[in-house]
C-alpha cells in the first residue's frame, strides 16, 4: 500500500505494478491524484497548477527517460523577474540584471572582477559571493535587494536560520543567461502533469482510492509493505512534537486581458505581502483573451487547515526528523518517502530519482 498519490507514490506504484507485476493500493486524502503537481484546464482552456508554479528541469538522463515513457514534452525555459527598486530585473541575478541597476562603467568593472574570480557562465551561491572581499559591495546589495525580504516572507525566519542550500537554489550567474534553471532538460508535459500521472497509474494492478485518509484505515496490517509519503511526524502522532512546515495561500485571479506580466513569474522581494505572481498561460504557450495569475502568500502550516508545502531545512529540524526516523529502524514494513516522508526540499526530478532508488533498493531487492 502506498500512502499519497503524489509524484513519489505514483512512481513507486508504477514500478511495483509494471515491473514486479504485483497489486498495489494507493490512497490519498485529497479528492484528486498527482499531489502537489496536480493541474487542470479552466473554462478558458488555460492549464492551472493548483498548488503553484511547476517547471520541470533535470540533468538526470535516467529521470528524463523514465518520465518520457508517460508523456510528450513541450520545451519550456522558466523565466523569472524580480521587482527591485521599481524595475523588473531578470532572475537569477546575472549581467543583464546588473546592467539594469548600475551605470555602464560600474557594470564593466564588476563584470571584469566577477569573471576574474569565478570565470564566465558560472553559478555562484549568494552566500559564496558574500564571502568575496573584492565583490562584497555587490554581494551585499544583491543579498539585501533580492534575498532578505523574500526569504523572511517565505519562511517566517531569517536566512541565517536556514540551511545554506535554500538560498543557493537561486545563484548569481556570471553571464547574460536569463533562464531560471540551467539544466539540460527543461520542459512541461504536453498534456499537463495530471495527464502524465494518469498514464503512470494506468495498470489494472493499481487501485487508487481518493478522499481516503490513512489514519482512518483499520486494515493496514494486511499489506506486505506500506510506503508512506505523508508527514512522518503525523504518522507517529507527533510524539516528539511537530516538525515545522511552511504553507502558502494562493489567490487565483482571472484578468480580461491577453497578458498580465512579461514572463511566467515575477517575484516581489521587497514590496507587498505576497512573494510572487505567476501567469499560467506561459507554461504551455496557451492562447486566450483572458489570463489567470496566482498571488502567493506564505503562511504557517496548520494541521487540518492548510497544506504542508515546504519542509524547513535546518539542523534543528533535521535532528527532530532523525528522531522520528529512528523509531522505524527495526521495522522494514514501513518505508518513508517523498518530500514529506523524508522531510527534504525535493524538486520533481529529485523526487522521481529518489523514488526509483527506494523502489530498487528497498522494494524490488528487499
Ligand atoms: P506530494 O505531492 O506532497 O504528495 C504527498 C501526498 O500524500 C499528497 O497528495 C497528500 O494529500 C497525501 N497524504 C499525506 N498524508 C496522507 C494521509 N495520512 N492519508 C492519505 N494521503 C495523505 N519542483 C520542481 O521540480 N519544479 C518546480 O517548479 C516546483 N515548484 C513547486 C512549487 C511549489 C509551491 C511547491 C510546494 C513545490 C514545488 N516543486 C517544484 C516540488 C514538487 O511539488 C515536489 O517535488 C513533488 O510534488 C513531490 O511529490 P511527493 O509525492 O513527494 O509529495
Ligand atoms: N529566494 C529569494 N528571492 C527570490 C527567489 C528566491 O530570496 O527572488 C530564496 C528564498 O529563500 C526562496 C529560495 O531562494 O525560498 C528558493 O527559491 P525557489 O525559487 O527555488 O523557491 P520555490 O520555487 O521552491 O518556492
Amino acid at each position: 500500500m502506498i500512502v499519497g498519490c503524489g509524484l513519489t507514490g505514483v512512481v513507486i506504484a508504477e514500478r511495483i505494478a509494471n515491473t514486479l507485476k504485483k497489486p498495489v493500493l494507493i490512497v490519498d486524502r485529497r479528492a484528486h491524484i498527482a499531489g502537489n503537481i496536480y493541474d487542470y484546464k479552466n473554462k478558458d482552456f488555460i492549464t492551472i497548477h493548483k498548488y503553484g508554479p511547476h517547471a520541470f528541469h533535470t540533468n538526470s538522463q535516467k529521470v528524463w527517460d523514465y518520465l518520457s515513457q508517460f508523456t510528450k514534452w513541450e520545451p519550456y525555459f522558466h523565466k523569472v523577474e524580480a521587482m527591485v527598486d521599481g524595475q523588473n530585473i531578470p532572475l537569477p541575478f546575472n549581467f543583464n540584471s546588473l546592467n539594469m541597476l548600475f551605470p555602464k562603467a560600474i557594470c564593466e568593472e564588476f563584470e571584469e572582477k566577477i569573471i576574474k574570480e569565478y570565470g564566465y557562465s558560472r553559478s555562484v551561491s549568494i552566500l559564496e559571493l558574500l564571502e568575496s572581499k573584492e565583490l562584497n559591495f555587490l554581494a551585499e546589495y544583491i543579498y539585501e535587494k533580492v534575498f532578505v525580504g523574500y526569504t523572511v516572507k517565505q519562511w517566517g525566519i531569517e536566512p541565517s536560520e536556514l540551511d545554506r542550500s535554500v538560498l543557493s537554489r537561486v545563484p548569481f550567474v556570471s553571464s547574460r543567461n536569463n533562464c531560471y534553471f540551467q539544466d539540460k532538460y527543461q520542459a512541461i508535459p504536453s498534456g499537463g502533469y495530471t495527464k502524465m500521472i494518469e498514464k503512470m497509474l494506468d495498470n489494472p494492478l493499481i487501485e487508487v482510492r481518493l478522499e481516503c485518509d490513512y489514519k482512518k484505515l483499520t486494515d493496514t496490517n494486511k499489506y506486505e509493505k506500506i510506503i508512506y509519503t505523508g508527514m512522518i511526524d503525523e504518522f507517529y502522532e507527533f510524539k516528539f512534537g511537530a516538525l515545522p512546515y511552511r504553507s502558502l495561500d494562493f489567490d487565483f485571479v482571472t484578468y480580461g486581458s491577453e497578458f498580465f506580466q512579461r514572463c511566467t513569474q515575477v517575484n516581489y522581494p521587497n514590496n507587498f505581502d505576497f512573494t510572487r505572481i505567476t501567469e499560467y498561460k506561459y507554461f504551455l504557450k496557451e492562447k486566450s483573451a483572458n489570463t489567470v495569475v496566482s498571488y502567493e502568500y506564505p503562511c504557517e502550516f496548520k494541521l487540518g487547515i492548510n497544506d504542508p508545502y515546504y519542509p524547513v531545512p535546518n539542523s534543528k529540524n533535521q535532528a527532530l526528523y532523525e528522531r522520528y526516523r529512528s523509531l522505524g529502524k527495526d521495522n522494514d514494513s514501513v518505508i518513508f518517502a517523498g518530500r514529506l516522508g523524508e522531510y527534504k526540499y525535493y524538486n520533481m526530478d529529485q523526487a522521481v530519482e529518489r523514488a526509483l532508488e527506494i523502489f530498487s533498493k528497498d522494494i524490488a531487492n528487499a
Side-chain angles (χ1 to χ4, degrees):
M1 172 166 70
I2 296 174
V3 181
C5 198
L7 191 53
T8 301
V10 171
V11 168
I12 297 175
E14 182 281 322
R15 290 287 84 189
I16 293 174
N18 286 334
T19 69
L20 301 183
K21 316 271 184 224
K22 283 194 169 183
V24 54
L25 169 68
I26 180 160
V27 300
D28 203 297
R29 53 160 64 128
R30 285 171 169 165
H32 60 73
I33 59 170
N36 287 343
I37 66 171
Y38 175 74
D39 59 11
Y40 63 95
K41 276 196 194 294
N42 79 345
K43 64 172 179 43
D44 293 314
F45 303 101
I46 299 170
T47 305
I48 309 296
H49 300 178
K50 183 176 162 91
Y51 302 102
H54 277 77
F56 182 80
H57 57 102
T58 192
N59 280 319
S60 163
Q61 189 68 44
K62 186 176 172 187
V63 169
W64 177 254
D65 290 345
Y66 171 74
L67 291 178
S68 300
Q69 300 174 80
F70 310 103
T71 188
K72 292 196 172 13
W73 299 95
E74 185 69 36
Y76 170 81
F77 295 91
H78 198 41
K79 293 283 165 57
V80 179
E81 293 179 342
M83 166 73 84
V84 171
D85 292 348
Q87 289 197 79
N88 282 4
I89 59 153
L91 212 67
F93 203 100
N94 62 54
F95 291 163
N96 290 327
S97 329
L98 193 65
N99 278 273
M100 288 178 77
L101 295 166
F102 291 94
K104 195 163 175 271
I106 296 184
C107 289
E108 282 171 3
E109 207 178 299
F110 277 142
E111 286 181 20
E112 207 182 302
K113 280 187 187 161
I114 290 164
I115 292 170
K116 196 166 151 221
E117 193 152 338
Y118 301 104
Y120 185 72
S121 199
R122 290 285 140 80
S123 293
V124 185
S125 160
I126 182 64
L127 301 171
E128 194 184 333
L129 204 63
L130 279 168
E131 285 159 16
S132 154
K133 280 202 185 77
E134 282 280 292
L135 291 159
N136 194 261
F137 167 79
L138 178 65
E140 290 281 356
Y141 177 90
I142 300 172
Y143 184 66
E144 288 299 325
K145 298 280 182 184
V146 177
F147 287 93
V148 177
Y150 190 104
T151 300
V152 171
K153 264 197 269 188
Q154 170 71 14
W155 300 96
I157 51 180
E158 294 295 322
S160 58
E161 296 171 86
L162 287 162
D163 268 7
R164 289 173 71 92
S165 58
V166 176
L167 264 60
S168 305
R169 289 170 60 90
V170 184
F172 176 92
V173 176
S174 61
S175 74
R176 297 197 183 278
N177 186 345
N178 287 344
C179 292
Y180 200 61
F181 304 113
Q182 312 290 327
D183 303 57
K184 176 170 179 190
Y185 298 106
Q186 303 188 41
I188 307 290
S190 303
Y193 291 101
T194 309
K195 281 269 173 316
M196 177 182 82
I197 293 285
E198 272 170 14
K199 192 89 189 285
M200 295 169 81
L201 292 170
D202 184 18
N203 183 318
L205 288 169
I206 303 177
E207 181 194 343
V208 178
R209 227 180 271 168
L210 298 174
E211 294 180 278
C212 173
D213 197 319
Y214 172 78
K215 276 192 294 200
K216 305 219 168 97
L217 295 173
T218 50
D219 60 351
T220 53
N221 51 11
K222 77 177 190 202
Y223 297 94
E224 193 183 327
K225 259 191 204 304
I226 293 174
I227 293 103
Y228 193 87
T229 74
M231 301 187 299
I232 191 168
D233 50 339
E234 187 180 21
F235 181 88
Y236 288 116
E237 295 169 341
F238 307 103
K239 67 189 290 179
F240 300 138
L243 273 163
Y245 300 89
R246 202 66 180 149
S247 191
L248 298 167
D249 249 350
F250 293 98
D251 188 10
F252 284 90
V253 182
T254 301
Y255 290 108
S257 54
E258 200 184 354
F259 289 104
F260 177 81
Q261 60 194 25
R262 232 170 23 192
C263 60
T264 317
Q265 189 181 313
V266 179
N267 290 2
Y268 292 83
N270 309 303
N271 307 90
F272 309 111
D273 296 333
F274 48 83
T275 45
R276 56 189 181 189
I277 303 179
T278 302
E279 185 163 7
Y280 289 89
K281 69 196 318 186
Y282 283 112
F283 282 111
L284 286 166
K285 303 174 187 71
E286 290 163 323
K287 305 248 183 297
S288 166
N290 292 334
T291 193
V292 178
V293 304
S294 67
Y295 295 75
E296 270 174 63
Y297 295 87
C299 53
E300 204 184 310
F301 164 65
K302 293 199 176 119
L303 188 68
I305 309 272
N306 54 21
D307 290 304
Y309 292 125
Y310 296 86
V312 183
N314 65 28
S315 51
K316 183 169 162 241
N317 299 341
Q318 186 59 28
L320 181 54
Y321 172 76
E322 297 297 342
R323 273 189 88 192
Y324 278 114
R325 269 313 276 259
S326 69
L327 290 172
K329 69 178 186 321
D330 301 322
N331 175 7
D332 63 3
S333 64
V334 181
I335 296 170
F336 292 97
R339 189 143 145 149
L340 301 174
E342 295 189 88
Y343 201 69
K344 281 241 171 71
Y345 193 170
Y346 286 140
N347 293 327
M348 288 182 276
D349 64 326
Q350 295 168 316
V352 170
E353 190 151 36
R354 180 72 183 128
L356 291 172
E357 186 184 46
I358 287 174
F359 169 76
S360 57
K361 275 201 194 137
D362 303 335
I363 300 170
N365 297 316

